[in-house]
Amino acid sequence: MRNRTILIVDDEPRSREGMKKMLASWASGAYELLTADNGFTALSIVEETAVDLMITDIRMPEINGLSLVAQMKDKRLARQPSVILISGHAEFEYAQQAIQLSVVNYLLKPVSREKLIAAVEDAIKAGEERDRIGLMRKMADPQLMAVAGGEANLSDPVKSAMQYVDEHMGEAVSLKEVADHIHLNGSYFSTLFKEQSGMTFSEYVVRRKLQKAKEMLVKTNLPIAEIAERVGYQTAKYFNKLFKEYETMSPGQYRTEMNKADTEIQK
């Protein structure tokens, strides 16, 4: 597991090394501290290294801090760092641009040790929360998300059918069973469900079961065979086949990948 990385960008040596020294005593080796004396070097570093937090001065020659952040966001980086901007001048225009660039904090020089460390801790927490949200989005099925987003447009029978699927997650739910439950003709219910959800009822059931399985793969240490049973599949072999078809990887690979990502967030 890698250490988290903080990049300090400032063209003034005393300021740059001063911040590094303050953070070094606070970090106690838990963070790798990198420095750059200009924006070009900083861009090279974030392209080659997974930087968690960048602290940059605004007023620098050639590429100023605001331009550096804007250029960094335009790049397809493996990781977009959280950003703290530092300025020697309280200029409202800087603060406005910082907000537009989603900068997490804006500090004025001279920066005290207490304010710097407080800002760094807040920025790291914000980055972790952003990563957790990203992880949840990665876990979420986009088609189920689309259905949930348009829930207000779903009819009561379709909502009842979806609720029935959730309440019988550990069972093999059939279209006829659900149609009977909501007192609709099977053919009519099938057409209604597809019109409103954008997928067949059977596809919805599979996606909903696999979504539940993904949550258990990440949040529990249950064996894959037991997870398959808990979402209504009697054989792990068939569950594995369906999972790979929808997620392009096996349940075991998915668990490994997602747990690795979660460990990086918590580290």
Side-chain angles (χ1 to χ4, degrees):
M1 292 188 295
R2 68 179 181 87
N3 274 0
R4 292 196 181 278
T5 301
I6 298 173
L7 172 61
I8 301 163
V9 189
D10 197 322
D11 62 314
E12 298 177 9
R14 284 184 63 183
S15 177
R16 185 175 65 247
E17 293 305 318
M19 283 189 285
K20 183 178 180 181
K21 188 175 180 180
M22 285 189 278
L23 290 177
S25 62
W26 162 80
S28 300
Y31 293 80
E32 183 178 4
L33 301 174
L34 305 178
T35 62
D37 61 6
N38 63 77
F40 291 112
T41 302
L43 284 172
S44 297
I45 290 172
V46 296
E47 285 179 311
E48 297 171 6
T49 306
V51 173
D52 297 274
L53 171 62
M54 183 172 75
I55 305 167
T56 180
D57 189 22
I58 290 181
R59 291 201 169 188
M60 295 187 296
E62 297 180 342
I63 300 180
N64 67 34
L66 290 165
S67 178
L68 168 61
V69 176
Q71 289 186 46
M72 184 181 71
K73 288 186 178 296
D74 285 340
K75 293 182 179 294
R76 301 185 67 178
L77 303 178
R79 181 178 186 78
Q80 280 286 346
S82 297
V83 177
I84 295 172
L85 282 175
I86 296 184
S87 172
H89 306 271
E91 295 188 25
F92 181 66
E93 184 184 350
Y94 287 164
Q96 275 189 315
Q97 290 181 59
I99 291 168
Q100 291 168 357
L101 291 167
S102 302
V103 170
V104 296
N105 216 323
Y106 179 85
L107 302 176
L108 292 176
K109 290 182 178 181
V111 182
S112 69
R113 182 180 187 276
E114 292 73 21
K115 284 188 177 180
L116 178 63
I117 290 170
V120 167
E121 289 176 343
D122 287 346
I124 288 167
K125 284 177 186 174
E128 288 173 352
E129 184 59 27
R130 181 190 64 198
D131 290 344
R132 285 193 180 93
I133 291 169
L135 188 63
M136 294 305 292
R137 283 178 178 163
K138 191 175 179 182
M139 283 176 60
D141 183 308
Q143 287 191 238
L144 292 180
M145 290 279 284
V147 171
E151 187 177 2
N153 300 319
L154 300 178
S155 64
D156 287 341
V158 170
K159 288 179 183 176
S160 296
M162 290 176 174
Q163 184 178 349
Y164 187 90
V165 172
D166 282 350
E167 291 172 352
H168 297 78
M169 188 61 67
E171 304 166 23
V173 180
S174 70
L175 185 146
K176 183 180 184 306
E177 176 187 345
V178 176
D180 288 345
H181 173 73
I182 58 177
H183 310 293
L184 286 180
N185 170 274
S187 179
Y188 173 72
F189 167 65
S190 176
T191 301
L192 181 70
F193 192 93
K194 187 169 184 180
E195 281 179 354
Q196 294 188 11
S197 71
M199 66 186 102
T200 64
F201 177 73
S202 60
E203 182 184 354
Y204 174 81
V205 172
V206 172
R207 287 184 178 276
R208 191 67 193 90
K209 286 177 179 288
L210 292 183
Q211 182 63 43
K212 186 66 177 177
K214 286 191 287 185
E215 291 168 12
M216 286 190 277
L217 284 166
V218 173
K219 296 177 181 178
T220 76
N221 293 318
L222 290 171
I224 289 168
E226 186 171 342
I227 290 174
E229 187 176 340
R230 288 195 182 197
V231 295
Y233 295 109
Q234 293 189 352
T235 68
K237 184 177 180 181
Y238 182 62
F239 169 70
N240 287 347
K241 178 178 177 293
L242 273 178
F243 195 98
K244 197 163 187 178
E245 181 181 326
Y246 279 81
E247 299 298 327
T248 69
M249 66 178 77
S250 71
Q253 289 171 323
Y254 183 88
R255 171 175 268 170
T256 299
E257 287 295 315
M258 296 302 283
N259 283 344
K260 182 180 176 184
D262 191 44
T263 299
E264 285 296 313
I265 292 170
Q266 296 180 31
K267 185 175 177 297

